Amino acid sequence: QVQLVESGGDLVQPGGSLRLSCLASGGSFSFSSMGWYRQAPGKQRELVARVTSIGATIYAASVKGRFTISRDNAKNTVYLQMSSLKPEDTAVYVCNGFDGRRNYWGQGTQVTVSS
């Protein structure tokens, strides 16, 4: 059973930085792409960033230039480096892996940006 486990969420002041990590484990898998989504209270889940197995990336317009996604295939881990955080970045950040047939989701990690 493939599992995605996120870590790194925290309370941070506006303008601060955080790095989220997502470790994939269990079973046999090969994700063609991995990504981060977020869901704020009362809002729909939205894409933050995705990265393919060869390193191609896409970002939501709201985070472009502030967030960087990367993956370490040897460690089965995807990262999200977040900087210049804003209160509107407050959300549960959820990791996703797509193996070409189905999506896998983590449980999420809370990021709160507040002074």
Side-chain angles (χ1 to χ4, degrees):
Q1 181 76 16
V2 176
Q3 286 189 318
L4 301 178
V5 179
E6 304 94 335
S7 61
D10 205 345
L11 169 64
V12 62
Q13 291 188 344
S17 299
L18 276 178
R19 188 175 85 152
L20 306 182
S21 301
C22 173
L23 172 65
S25 63
S28 177
F29 57 88
S30 177
F31 293 133
S32 57
S33 69
M34 297 186 76
W36 289 94
Y37 290 70
R38 67 186 181 187
Q39 187 163 17
K43 294 188 177 181
Q44 289 190 330
R45 182 175 291 183
E46 63 175 0
L47 171 69
V48 177
R50 292 199 68 85
V51 58
T52 71
S53 58
I54 59 171
T57 58
I58 59 170
Y59 294 92
S62 59
V63 307
K64 205 166 187 179
R66 300 188 297 121
F67 292 9
T68 302
I69 189 169
S70 61
R71 66 189 282 180
D72 185 332
N73 293 326
K75 295 181 178 180
N76 296 324
T77 301
V78 63
Y79 304 97
L80 185 68
Q81 178 67 49
M82 306 185 292
S83 60
S84 301
L85 283 160
K86 305 174 181 180
E88 51 264 42
D89 294 318
T90 296
V92 175
Y93 285 70
V94 183
C95 179
N96 167 270
F98 180 65
D99 67 2
R101 291 185 302 168
R102 62 165 286 187
N103 282 294
Y104 296 85
W105 298 94
Q107 293 296 309
T109 185
Q110 177 70 46
V111 173
T112 302
V113 184
S114 175
S115 55

